[in-house]
Amino acid sequence: MTDEDSKITELDPSKLGTKDYWENAYKLELNNYTDHGDVGEVWFGEDAGQRMVNWLSEHPEYVQPSDPILDNGTGNGVLCMDMEQEGFTDITGIDYCQEAIDLAEKIKEEAESQVKFQVGNILDKESSFFKSKFKVVTDKGTYDAISLSETAKVDKVTYIENTHYVLEKDGLFMITSCNWTEQELVTMFSTHFKHLETIPTPSFTFGGKKGNSVTTVVFNKIDL
């Protein structure tokens, strides 16, 4: 372990790192959507997802509209449908909760979307989406949730390895996190990815120190 790696401190486990929590949360959101059309919580706010979509659309040198994109931990699928509205045509959203996929499918139907949704777990290579390769993998909050599980230390390594595996050569990985700083993300993913760019996010100043509530980082897959 390098001095840089030793600075990474594991987070305390939380209910946010359990599948039961997310199944119950999306069951409630599915009922709410059925009752009154509420799509549910948009993690980190709508601006966070839009920054990701804007970056992809503004960098045709890295990604074309027809390139396959995987949204990992898609939840209600809104990020996928935002990418579709921007002109991307081959988008797959996965989530390990059936309830989340059911919600995404309902929203998709109402929006007349062509996004593909399926149950899948980035930690489980038996998931069917591993049969495909993607030019881009996006993550808005999934790595954060994994980082809060009882088995986070092992799961984070598996996450990084499997994300690398499912990407095409020179593929892009884009992550938005509220639990980890830019430097921490760059350090943790450096075994399999090269830091390409950090997307500017709103900053705040408190007690004379400047910081960000969320961090969005873009990585390139590296050959191993």
Side-chain angles (χ1 to χ4, degrees):
M1 178 179 289
T2 67
D3 290 341
E4 196 71 39
D5 291 332
S6 65
K7 297 177 183 177
I8 305 296
T9 302
E10 294 297 328
L11 304 176
D12 292 332
S14 162
K15 63 182 181 181
L16 293 173
T18 67
K19 190 175 182 182
D20 282 347
Y21 173 86
W22 294 108
E23 286 176 340
N24 290 327
Y26 283 113
K27 188 179 298 182
L28 176 61
E29 293 195 350
L30 181 59
N31 289 336
N32 288 340
Y33 183 78
T34 301
D35 287 343
H36 50 270
D38 181 1
V39 300
E41 185 165 358
V42 178
W43 287 99
F44 312 142
E46 294 181 2
D47 288 349
Q50 195 58 51
R51 281 191 292 270
M52 300 172 80
V53 175
N54 290 346
W55 191 95
L56 291 171
S57 65
E58 292 166 2
H59 290 80
E61 69 273 27
Y62 294 115
V63 56
Q64 293 292 309
S66 60
D67 285 336
I69 298 174
L70 178 72
D71 184 37
N72 178 23
T74 197
N76 60 16
V78 168
L79 178 58
C80 291
M81 286 175 264
D82 286 346
M83 288 190 281
E84 182 181 45
Q85 289 180 3
E86 197 63 32
F88 295 98
T89 59
D90 188 359
I91 306 165
T92 301
I94 63 163
D95 202 289
Y96 73 169
C97 292
Q98 180 67 58
E99 293 80 1
I101 296 303
D102 291 344
L103 174 60
E105 288 284 2
K106 281 183 173 290
I107 298 171
K108 164 187 169 177
E109 182 179 357
E110 183 74 20
E112 298 182 349
S113 167
Q114 301 302 310
V115 172
K116 300 180 288 290
F117 292 112
Q118 61 181 267
V119 175
N121 186 349
I122 194 66
L123 301 181
D124 180 10
K125 273 194 175 179
E126 296 301 313
S127 297
S128 61
F129 71 90
F130 276 104
K131 297 176 182 177
S132 303
K133 294 288 184 180
F134 299 88
K135 180 65 177 180
V136 180
V137 172
T138 57
D139 175 336
K140 187 159 67 72
T142 301
Y143 186 73
D144 280 3
I146 287 172
S147 300
L148 295 170
S149 71
E150 293 283 354
T151 54
K153 192 168 185 178
V154 172
D155 290 346
K156 288 193 299 176
V157 173
T158 302
Y159 176 103
I160 293 168
E161 292 174 346
N162 288 359
T163 300
H164 183 274
Y165 175 86
V166 82
L167 277 168
E168 297 178 354
K169 180 180 174 63
D170 298 324
L172 297 178
F173 170 56
M174 178 183 292
I175 180 171
T176 293
S177 169
C178 69
N179 285 345
W180 303 107
T181 66
E182 172 190 4
Q183 187 54 60
E184 287 171 333
L185 290 169
V186 170
T187 298
M188 288 185 286
F189 284 87
S190 63
T191 55
H192 291 70
F193 295 91
K194 178 182 178 181
H195 180 210
L196 180 62
E197 186 174 333
T198 298
I199 300 175
T201 58
S203 61
F204 63 90
T205 301
F206 183 79
K209 294 185 178 181
K210 190 173 183 179
N212 298 81
S213 57
V214 296
T215 302
T216 300
V217 183
V218 185
F219 293 95
N220 259 139
K221 174 179 175 174
I222 60 176
D223 291 332
L224 298 179

